[in-house]
Amino acid sequence: ALYLNNAVKPLDDVRVRQAIYYAVNVQEIIDFVCDGAGVATGTSMYPAYTKYFLPELAETYTQDLEKSKALLAEAGYPDGFDMTITVPSNYDQHVETAEVLYEQLRQVGINVTIQPVEWETWVSDVYRGRDYMSTVCGIAASDMTAREMLARYVSDNKKDFINFSDPDYDAAVNAAMASLDDAEQTELYKQAERILNEQAASIWLQDLCDLTVTVPELSGVTFYRTYVLDMSTIHFSA
């Protein structure tokens, strides 16, 4: 995603964040960075989490440069503004994404400066210190739950490095975590996803494609919805 620091001007204005989203062509990024193999998301949820994933949210902000310019003008930035994208230099896909964003955003007057940093610097300054304007990176879930993907953006969560704050979002996620009813919990998490999308809290782009190569002699290889492999089942066929 292109994560936006919601506490930094002008990104504290939802109209500016939405204008950025309308300036972005997600499919163009997927085609350039991943040869078309990624999956557009539109919010903070893995497509593999099919129970919670809302594919329609990826269509909310189809590229519309005139609408983007109109929102910028409405927010007081008719000539655009300067924006820094901090990117961990050890991830080629993130750097390449930032380069495509540079070209796309300048079409609406947003002048991007790409700031490559070492991974350790990114973790200390961006993720922990929240000292940045925007960043391209990937956020993983430590477990296979919707909670892990969404609770991090509750306003008082220490992982809320984008400084997102929305009372309706907080209420939805907190209610979901407290609910013992599966259907109710699922709908509350979906409500939270919609809020992230509507507020353009960040510019969620794609779930990156993982390609795996195996040799024909290997059997017992099972692919899961995470990057983890169970090595105990893998063996050479006779």
Side-chain angles (χ1 to χ4, degrees):
L2 172 64
Y3 288 99
L4 307 176
N5 191 337
N6 286 220
V8 172
K9 290 186 178 300
L11 304 181
D12 59 341
D13 191 322
V14 63
R15 295 169 297 183
V16 171
R17 300 194 301 269
Q18 290 173 338
I20 293 172
Y21 231 143
Y22 279 118
V24 171
N25 185 324
V26 174
Q27 189 58 50
E28 188 174 80
I29 294 172
I30 294 173
D31 291 342
F32 180 83
V33 177
C34 300
D35 292 329
V39 178
T41 54
T43 192
S44 181
M45 188 56 60
Y46 285 124
Y49 293 12
T50 52
K51 179 178 178 179
Y52 307 104
F53 185 60
L54 296 169
E56 65 270 20
L57 295 184
E59 303 298 324
T60 303
Y61 300 97
T62 54
Q63 189 181 52
D64 187 331
L65 300 182
E66 293 308 312
K67 193 166 187 174
S68 176
K69 291 176 183 177
L71 282 165
L72 287 173
E74 183 182 326
Y77 300 93
D79 300 318
F81 61 93
D82 296 331
M83 177 172 154
T84 300
I85 300 178
T86 303
V87 59
S89 58
N90 56 311
Y91 287 101
D92 290 343
Q93 291 165 316
H94 299 345
V95 174
E96 292 170 0
T97 296
E99 291 170 348
V100 179
L101 288 167
Y102 171 94
E103 296 294 339
Q104 292 180 349
L105 294 178
R106 73 174 184 169
Q107 296 178 91
V108 296
I110 300 175
N111 303 308
V112 169
T113 298
I114 299 175
Q115 181 183 45
V117 297
E118 297 295 327
W119 175 245
E120 294 77 10
T121 300
W122 186 90
V123 173
S124 63
D125 295 357
V126 176
Y127 188 71
R128 293 178 181 160
R130 305 185 186 185
D131 183 16
Y132 75 104
M133 187 174 187
S134 71
T135 185
V136 173
C137 67
I139 297 297
S142 60
D143 57 49
M144 295 290 289
T145 63
R147 179 196 66 248
E148 178 66 19
M149 296 301 294
L150 299 170
R152 64 171 56 246
Y153 302 116
V154 171
S155 56
D156 62 354
N157 192 299
K158 65 180 181 180
K159 293 182 179 180
D160 181 24
F161 78 106
I162 67 171
N163 291 308
F164 181 63
S165 181
D166 184 281
D168 292 334
Y169 182 83
D170 291 354
V173 174
N174 288 329
M177 291 191 294
S179 177
L180 299 178
D181 182 274
D182 183 69
E184 178 186 47
Q185 184 183 72
T186 299
E187 182 50 42
L188 285 165
Y189 280 137
K190 288 181 177 180
Q191 180 181 330
E193 292 173 56
R194 295 185 188 101
I195 293 171
L196 287 178
N197 181 269
E198 291 166 3
Q199 291 295 310
S202 283
I203 314 303
W204 281 277
L205 301 170
Q206 64 163 316
D207 183 30
L208 291 169
C209 177
D210 287 328
L211 299 177
T212 304
V213 178
T214 63
V215 296
E217 294 80 9
L218 282 179
S219 298
V221 180
T222 301
F223 295 100
Y224 300 96
R225 293 177 177 180
T226 68
Y227 54 85
V228 176
L229 283 177
D230 182 358
M231 301 295 291
S232 68
T233 66
I234 302 175
H235 58 278
F236 283 98
S237 301

